[in-house]
Amino acid sequence: MRSEDMAGYLSRIEGQLLSRGLLRTDDGAAEGPLSADRLTEDFVQIALRDEYASLGAPSAGANATPAPLRRWAGDVRLQLEFGDSIPPEMRARDRQTVASYATRLAQAAQHPVSLVGSGGNFIVMVAAEDDRAGIPARIAALAPGIPPADAAALGQLSPQTFCTVFSYASRGDAAAYTHAVALIRGELPARLRMACFHEELAQGLGLPNDSPAARPSIFNDDEAFAALTLHDAALLRILYDPRLRPGMTETEARPIIATIAAEIATPAADRAPATATDQPVVQPASQPVAPTAPQPATDPPAPAAP
């Protein structure tokens, strides 16, 4: 498939989703208050489960694989890179989007996240179908030490996979992320493009799973939201709370998660009545930690690929 065909395919998918009122960009406040119990359960399902038991083998939902808590140990430095076919005006818009989102992520997590021009440890590659042949070599050059299978997978996304992210940790601490690589399709139209940037970068920080119970959230395959919500910001705040530490199991972490969630949640006295809506640059010694991908940023009733 060529880039022109892919662009048309993705545009039709976005149109279908928007016609159903999906891919919202509000913060989800209209969905009602966040309860401590809901935040606790959603955090456990999203942060302490793996969507993919192995590369390409989904394990989400009731069969999701239990996993330790993982997050970045140091600063997160996002570095945008582009395929040769991505035009200058699109590159400028993507840089603006990612720079703004990096600030939002840093505020939510209370952890350093920034966009840098070079020396990044979280490579965000925007590339189109016409760039496909060169993606593995480009990724390998940008992220020395990335497993060859991962580099190859990034160059072989199916039409139904719009974006993906792989996160890595050092051998010394398998739960502390030090590097990541995300790939965003260059042909994505505006709203799907936002959804990909928001979901993949947040997942790469340590929220690898999706949950059908999470709402309002980008970590839900119902595709209701394209942008990070208040619920999702709360999950990031829990994830990077110093009372938690990388490597904790659910048994160890759950009481602490519940305490933090209670501090974040809307006090019961302030809640409105319930409504219906309430019902790599990777070092050679590094090893992948449960890649959060590949996965589509959306799961729509997509038209047949051209």
Side-chain angles (χ1 to χ4, degrees):
M1 185 188 303
R2 296 183 60 82
S3 288
E4 184 176 354
D5 298 324
M6 177 61 74
Y9 168 65
L10 295 173
S11 180
R12 292 193 297 274
I13 290 176
E14 180 176 272
Q16 289 183 358
L17 293 169
L18 292 175
S19 71
R20 293 161 49 198
L22 303 177
L23 295 178
R24 288 164 51 183
T25 59
D26 61 278
D27 63 11
E31 298 292 306
L34 303 174
S35 74
D37 288 346
R38 183 72 268 155
L39 283 175
T40 298
E41 293 306 319
D42 288 350
F43 184 86
V44 167
Q45 290 302 314
I46 293 169
L48 300 178
R49 300 287 187 274
D50 277 330
E51 186 168 20
Y52 287 80
S54 59
L55 189 60
S59 65
N63 297 319
T65 305
L69 186 142
R70 292 145 298 179
R71 68 186 187 196
W72 286 72
D75 295 6
V76 180
R77 302 185 302 278
L78 303 170
Q79 180 177 332
L80 264 173
E81 296 289 335
F82 298 93
D84 292 340
S85 73
I86 308 301
E89 61 274 15
M90 186 174 291
R91 298 185 188 202
R93 287 196 298 269
D94 286 347
R95 288 191 187 281
Q96 184 176 20
T97 295
V98 174
S100 176
Y101 189 45
T103 299
R104 173 77 171 119
L105 290 172
Q107 292 172 341
Q110 296 184 21
H111 185 83
V113 181
S114 62
L115 177 63
V116 299
S118 61
N121 51 18
F122 192 142
I123 304 300
V124 183
M125 181 77 181
V126 180
E129 280 294 301
D130 291 347
D131 304 313
R132 178 191 287 267
I135 288 175
R138 182 78 181 278
I139 290 294
L142 290 166
I146 185 173
D150 290 0
L154 289 168
Q156 298 171 1
L157 301 187
S158 71
Q160 291 75 33
T161 301
F162 307 154
C163 45
T164 190
V165 63
F166 296 162
S167 295
Y168 302 88
S170 66
R171 181 170 297 174
D173 187 348
Y177 287 154
T178 56
H179 304 87
V181 179
L183 181 67
I184 310 294
R185 282 194 178 278
E187 301 92 348
L188 286 164
R191 196 68 66 85
L192 280 178
R193 201 180 196 88
M194 172 187 285
C196 267
F197 278 126
H198 277 235
E199 182 173 4
E200 301 306 331
L201 299 191
Q203 285 197 317
L205 292 185
L207 297 172
N209 196 24
D210 288 324
S211 170
R215 184 176 177 89
S217 179
I218 57 175
F219 304 112
N220 186 321
D221 286 335
D222 65 5
E223 312 311 333
F225 290 86
L228 196 81
T229 66
L230 293 174
H231 168 281
D232 302 330
L235 298 186
L236 284 167
R237 178 67 191 90
I238 295 171
L239 178 63
Y240 281 89
D241 191 287
R243 285 168 285 187
L244 294 172
R245 66 179 185 277
M248 277 186 162
T249 64
E250 178 182 345
T251 300
E252 295 171 315
R254 182 180 276 274
I256 303 171
I257 294 165
T259 297
I260 303 167
E263 296 169 359
I264 294 173
T266 307
D270 296 338
R271 294 179 191 166
T275 66
T277 57
D278 296 331
Q279 309 273 353
V281 180
V282 181
Q283 298 175 356
S286 297
Q287 60 186 17
V289 179
T292 64
Q295 71 170 51
T298 64
D299 188 18

